[in-house]
């Protein structure tokens, strides 16, 4: 056990985490020249194209240092805030972390939030200054920032370049010297932490775990404590690039387990594996069910594809257990699903994977968050509202609570004013402002989650010329004055465009939605009124004018009553047409509501 080191890499997006992992694999000879490729641990096409890690990965390396052989387990983590629970479980499976900071960009918001997660779990932090070979690198300045943040000595910061391979040997020796060996009792009953799972179409769900106490053997009867289900360990082994089956995985080591589970829901990240005959008494702390934060309706463009969409969603759920969906129907869009996502990036990824992997073109409705509504009848029991149409009638409503988040934004001091005004426009309240250096400021806000779901991140990047980084964590529910705004087309409510908004913003947003729809809905043979309403009160209106034939063209000169007669006749025809006509809403209209400020 003393020769095992478990570590993870934490960094902000694009600070060179996956590239550094590649260099470590090269240096320890874990990959052959044939298998080498950039971002080796990112297996999805999407991950490679966007340069982000969506799924965390684990890999084992062997390294000889001062004549002794060591086993290094690297647990790669996603960097994006949507996947912060996965990151927290990966961190809990380690004893140390490499903190990577880009020498050109310095410390960003996610670096800090993941660093706090690591410090809460008492991890040994090894600071690495990456990309020192760039012409724009400020090595001394950023080293001082890291020293201020961590309270370490400047010589403890390892300068490196993952591209050229500079500093890799120093990083490996630091991993062995500074990160403590795993502690644990090999004689106790089995206690192992699940930090990830992957779906294999031939063998079911593969569970990745780290053994804290005891050992796990092939053929052992095991039990997952959160779900209470027991399984038979068909195969256990270690994770190299390919899987290597072993008879036993001992205390402190990382491995995979195959039990033939077919449902990804049965394997929960953060759960504890134990022996079913001789179970451990204590579960590993920190387990929670992943809760979706953002909800949106996903509908097939052609209603006949509904069953196909259901199959695609079920297959996706095998790979991604945090996707939740229930069937729902809409008068405007037919049958579809109300889906729960971890955040907006998760929503984008699912939508893109549906198109790529399953050839499904889908319509996504306006994303919203889940609220708690309380009625006058029983003001103590909350009703969960995931869809604006679930909101009780205004006359019976007592109050509505919405989820709030603590947002941390790090930006250059020049942009503090514009970032503040954006956050205050989004109903944020500033709680803290700290100057990290003379140039860089950390701002903390309490904000409603609903306000950042739409276009907040894009606008934040715009007002700060790309220099702001953003991170958030939920802080619970707060009472809020919310109203349901409906959109009516030709007098009919289009349920897919309804939204729950704060009363102060309802008029402005209603007006903007109407204006946007007027540009997008094609003209018909009759006038189409577009209205935004709260209950029975219309708050905004636009009209798409009718296409009209010039019926008076043949009347030149003569009495006005001849023209009037023809115009009146045309008007009656248009009125009759409007009563029976229905309006087709183009796909862009649903997406346009998301981009009201463009």
């Amino acid at each position: 056990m003393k020769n095992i080191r478990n570590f993870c890499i934490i960094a902000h997006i694009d600070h060179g985490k996956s590239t550094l992992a590649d260099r470590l694999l090269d240096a320890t000879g874990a990959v052959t020249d044939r298998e080498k490729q950039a971002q080796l641990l990112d297996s999805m096409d999407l991950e490679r194209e966007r340069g982000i890690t969506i799924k965390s990965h684990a890999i084992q390396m062997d390294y000889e240092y001062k004549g002794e052989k060591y086993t290094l387990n690297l647990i790669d983590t996603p960097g994006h805030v949507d996947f912060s629970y996965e990151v927290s479980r990966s961190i809990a499976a380690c004893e140390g972390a490499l903190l990577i900071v880009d020498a050109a960009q310095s410390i960003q918001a996610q670096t800090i939030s993941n660093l706090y997660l690591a410090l809460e779990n008492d991890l040994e932090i090894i600071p690495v200054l990456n990309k020192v070979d760039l012409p724009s690198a400020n090595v001394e300045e950023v080293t001082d920032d890291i020293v201020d943040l961590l309270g370490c000595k400047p010589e403890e910061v390892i300068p490196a370049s993952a591209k050229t391979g500079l500093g890799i040997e120093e990083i490996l020796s630091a991993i062995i010297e500074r990160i403590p060996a795993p502690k644990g009792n090999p004689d106790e009953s089995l206690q192992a932490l699940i930090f990830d799972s992957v779906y294999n179409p031939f063998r079911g769900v593969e569970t990745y775990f780290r053994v804290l106490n005891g050992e796990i053997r092939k053929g052992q009867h095991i039990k997952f404590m959160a779900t209470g289900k027991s399984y038979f360990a068909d195969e256990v082994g270690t994770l190299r690039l390919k899987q290597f089956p072993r008879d036993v995985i001992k205390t402190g080591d990382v491995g995979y387990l195959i039990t033939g589970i077919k449902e990804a829901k049965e394997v929960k990240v953060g759960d504890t594996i134990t022996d079913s005959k001789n179970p451990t008494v204590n579960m590993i702390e920190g387990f929670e069910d992943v809760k979706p934060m953002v909800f949106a309706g996903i509908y097939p463009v052609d209603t006949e594809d509904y069953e196909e969409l259901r199959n695609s969603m079920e297959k996706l759920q095998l790979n991604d257990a945090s996707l939740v969906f229930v069937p729902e129907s809409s008068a405007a869009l037919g049958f579809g699903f109300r889906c729960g996502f971890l955040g907006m990036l998760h929503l984008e990824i699912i939508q893109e994977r549906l198109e790529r992997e399953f050839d499904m073109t889908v319509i996504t409705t306006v994303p919203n968050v889940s609220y708690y509504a309380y009625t006058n009848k029983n003001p103590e029991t909350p009703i969960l509202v995931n869809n604006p149409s679930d909101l009780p009638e205004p006359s019976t409503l007592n109050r509505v609570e919405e989820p709030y988040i603590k947002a941390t934004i790090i930006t250059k001091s020049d942009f503090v004013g514009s970032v503040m005004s954006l956050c205050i426009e989004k109903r944020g309240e500033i709680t803290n402002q700290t100057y990290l250096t003379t140039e860089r400021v950390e701002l903390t806000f309490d904000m409603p989650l609903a306000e950042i779901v739409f276009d907040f991140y894009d606008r934040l990047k715009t007002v700060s010329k790309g220099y702001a980084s953003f991170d958030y964590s939920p802080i619970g529910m707060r009472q809020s004055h919310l109203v349901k705004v409906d959109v009516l087309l030709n007098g009919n409510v289009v349920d897919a465009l309804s939204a729950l908004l704060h009363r102060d913003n309802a008029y402005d947003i209603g007006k903007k939605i109407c204006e946007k729809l007027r540009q997008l809905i094609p003209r018909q043979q009759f006038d189409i009124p577009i209205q935004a309403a709260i209950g029975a009160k219309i708050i905004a209106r636009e009209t798409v004018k009718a296409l009209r034939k010039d019926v008076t063209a043949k009347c030149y000169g003569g009495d006005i009553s001849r023209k009037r007669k023809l115009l009146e006749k045309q008007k009656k025809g248009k009125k009759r047409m409007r009563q029976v006509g229905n309006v087709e809403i183009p796909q862009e209209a649903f997406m346009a509501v998301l981009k009201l400020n463009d």
Side-chain angles (χ1 to χ4, degrees):
M1 216 163 78
K2 67 180 196 332
N3 287 7
I4 295 176
R5 299 285 182 273
N6 297 324
F7 68 100
C8 60
I9 302 180
I10 49 180
H12 190 72
I13 303 165
D14 226 17
H15 279 204
K17 195 169 48 167
S18 297
T19 318
L20 188 87
D22 291 350
R23 292 294 83 76
L24 292 175
L25 295 176
D26 291 350
T28 55
V31 285
T32 60
D33 287 343
R34 250 184 78 185
E35 295 165 324
K36 270 184 199 170
Q37 57 176 11
Q39 299 162 354
L40 188 69
L41 295 179
D42 292 348
S43 49
M44 254 188 269
D45 293 344
L46 252 177
E47 292 182 311
R48 294 171 165 281
E49 280 169 29
R50 290 180 169 222
I52 53 176
T53 304
I54 297 167
K55 200 89 181 88
S56 51
H57 297 271
I59 194 161
Q60 194 174 73
M61 301 172 271
D62 292 327
Y63 187 61
E64 196 167 307
Y65 180 70
K66 293 186 177 168
E68 279 199 62
K69 282 200 162 76
Y70 288 88
T71 302
L72 310 178
N73 288 310
L74 160 63
I75 297 170
D76 191 15
T77 57
H80 199 277
V81 51
D82 284 5
F83 308 111
S84 57
Y85 175 63
E86 274 191 32
V87 177
S88 77
R89 294 301 83 209
S90 297
I91 286 176
C94 301
E95 276 83 33
L98 295 180
L99 175 76
I100 297 184
V101 178
D102 185 328
Q105 292 183 18
S106 190
I107 293 161
Q108 305 279 331
Q110 254 149 6
T111 325
I112 292 183
S113 71
N114 286 350
L115 172 70
Y116 287 155
L117 269 179
L119 291 173
E120 275 168 29
N121 284 293
D122 292 334
L123 264 62
E124 179 63 41
I125 307 287
I126 299 174
V128 176
L129 186 61
N130 195 14
K131 306 193 186 180
V132 290
D133 59 322
L134 287 182
S136 58
N138 298 331
V139 178
E140 281 133 26
E141 205 177 295
V142 181
T143 307
D144 291 345
D145 290 354
I146 297 174
V147 169
D148 289 347
L149 180 70
L150 287 176
C152 61
K153 298 188 183 77
E155 53 272 19
E156 286 178 17
V157 180
I158 303 171
S161 162
K163 193 168 75 181
T164 60
L166 172 79
I168 298 297
E169 294 297 327
E170 288 85 346
I171 292 173
L172 283 165
S173 54
I175 289 170
I176 288 167
E177 283 177 3
R178 295 196 215 167
I179 294 178
K183 298 179 183 66
N185 188 341
D187 305 324
E188 275 189 30
S189 55
L190 169 67
Q191 186 189 32
L193 168 74
I194 298 177
F195 61 83
D196 197 9
S197 66
V198 177
Y199 184 74
N200 178 333
F202 304 108
R203 311 195 61 181
V205 179
E206 297 169 358
T207 311
Y208 294 172
F209 63 85
R210 144 89 200 268
V211 183
L212 297 183
N213 291 311
E215 57 183 33
I216 184 165
R217 290 185 170 279
K218 184 181 175 177
Q220 186 175 353
H221 283 281
I222 51 159
K223 181 178 169 193
F224 288 5
M225 291 180 81
T227 56
K229 296 192 174 177
S230 296
Y231 304 99
F232 179 75
D234 292 335
E235 185 181 306
V236 294
T238 51
L239 293 148
R240 300 292 166 101
L241 252 191
K242 299 187 176 63
Q243 294 166 340
F244 282 90
R246 297 277 157 90
D247 286 335
V248 60
I249 303 275
K250 295 196 161 128
T251 315
D253 214 346
V254 172
Y256 72 91
L257 161 74
I258 294 177
T259 51
I261 299 174
K262 293 284 183 282
E263 285 281 323
K265 288 190 204 116
E266 290 180 29
V267 181
K268 293 185 185 292
V269 171
D271 195 357
T272 309
I273 306 176
T274 187
D275 188 65
S276 58
K277 294 191 187 72
N278 178 18
T280 176
V281 193
N282 3 343
M283 259 184 90
I284 297 163
E285 287 171 12
F287 170 73
E288 50 184 81
D289 275 323
V290 182
K291 293 181 197 71
M293 304 286 274
V294 174
F295 294 86
I298 287 189
Y299 292 86
V301 173
D302 191 347
T303 24
E304 289 168 6
D305 298 340
Y306 173 70
E307 278 306 319
E308 209 173 309
L309 179 64
R310 181 198 289 277
N311 293 340
S312 310
M313 299 282 270
E314 280 169 357
K315 283 180 187 159
L316 260 188
Q317 203 177 28
L318 292 172
N319 279 318
D320 186 348
S322 45
L323 168 69
V324 198
F325 63 92
V326 288
E328 74 165 359
S329 64
S330 139
L333 297 171
F335 290 107
F337 297 96
R338 165 90 5 198
C339 308
F341 306 95
L342 298 175
M344 284 302 283
L345 178 79
H346 192 204
L347 164 72
E348 269 181 55
I349 285 164
I350 294 289
Q351 206 176 330
E352 194 142 333
R353 284 183 70 182
L354 278 172
E355 285 189 14
R356 288 198 178 189
E357 295 172 26
F358 304 101
D359 256 356
M360 295 294 310
T361 320
V362 291
I363 296 174
T364 313
T365 63
V366 185
N368 62 311
V369 300
S370 52
Y371 302 90
Y372 283 155
Y374 296 85
T375 52
N376 291 325
K377 207 180 232 176
N378 38 3
E380 293 310 310
T381 14
I383 302 165
L384 187 67
V385 178
N386 288 337
N387 192 345
S389 56
D390 300 341
L391 194 74
E393 282 296 306
S395 53
T396 62
L397 201 59
N398 180 315
R399 65 186 191 280
V400 181
E401 290 182 354
E402 64 174 333
Y404 262 70
I405 55 158
K406 177 179 169 226
T408 310
I409 297 168
I410 294 182
T411 183
K412 283 195 164 177
S413 42
D414 314 358
F415 306 117
V416 171
S418 49
V419 169
M420 272 193 188
S421 54
L422 169 68
C423 292
I424 288 161
E425 178 199 325
K426 297 282 190 188
R427 295 192 284 136
E429 297 159 21
I430 186 155
T431 54
N432 198 355
Q433 178 178 354
T434 323
Y435 276 81
L436 301 170
T437 64
T438 49
E439 279 292 295
R440 305 179 62 241
V441 193
E442 180 180 12
L443 301 166
T444 317
F445 290 89
D446 285 358
M447 294 175 77
L449 177 64
E451 295 289 342
I452 67 158
V453 160
F454 284 171
D455 53 353
F456 177 75
Y457 192 63
D458 299 348
R459 286 189 58 202
L460 176 68
K461 285 290 188 199
T462 311
V463 298
S464 65
K465 300 198 168 78
Y467 278 110
S469 62
F470 168 68
D471 190 67
Y472 67 85
S473 55
I475 52 173
M477 308 293 278
R478 293 191 190 175
Q479 189 172 339
S480 206
H481 203 118
L482 297 169
V483 289
K484 179 179 161 207
V485 175
D486 287 318
V487 175
L488 291 86
L489 273 187
N490 203 7
N492 303 322
V493 174
V494 182
D495 53 358
L497 291 174
S498 299
L500 283 176
L501 303 170
H502 194 265
R503 176 160 290 235
D504 300 349
N505 304 344
Y507 173 73
D508 289 340
I509 294 181
K511 193 166 182 292
K512 279 184 183 164
I513 290 176
C514 291
E515 284 168 5
K516 202 84 180 182
L517 287 173
R518 193 190 77 202
Q519 297 162 14
L520 289 166
I521 288 176
R523 290 171 69 185
Q524 308 276 353
Q525 288 290 338
F526 50 91
D527 279 3
I528 306 169
I530 303 168
Q531 295 160 311
I534 299 174
K537 183 184 172 192
I538 304 292
I539 54 168
R541 166 171 173 148
E542 294 284 335
T543 310
V544 178
K545 283 298 190 192
L547 295 163
R548 333 169 54 105
K549 180 180 165 195
D550 188 357
V551 286
T552 59
K554 62 175 191 273
C555 309
Y556 48 91
D559 191 38
I560 185 70
S561 58
R562 291 176 61 203
K563 290 184 182 174
R564 181 137 320 127
K565 188 177 119 191
L566 291 167
L567 287 169
E568 285 296 323
K569 191 177 167 190
Q570 183 189 34
K571 198 168 157 191
K572 268 185 191 160
K574 295 277 182 210
K575 191 175 172 188
R576 200 163 56 244
M577 218 187 267
R578 199 183 129 190
Q579 285 165 354
V580 295
N582 60 355
V583 184
E584 285 290 314
I585 307 170
Q587 154 97 40
E588 298 86 65
F590 293 104
M591 297 319 292
V593 183
L594 306 182
K595 301 189 175 71
L596 288 178
N597 290 307
D598 294 1

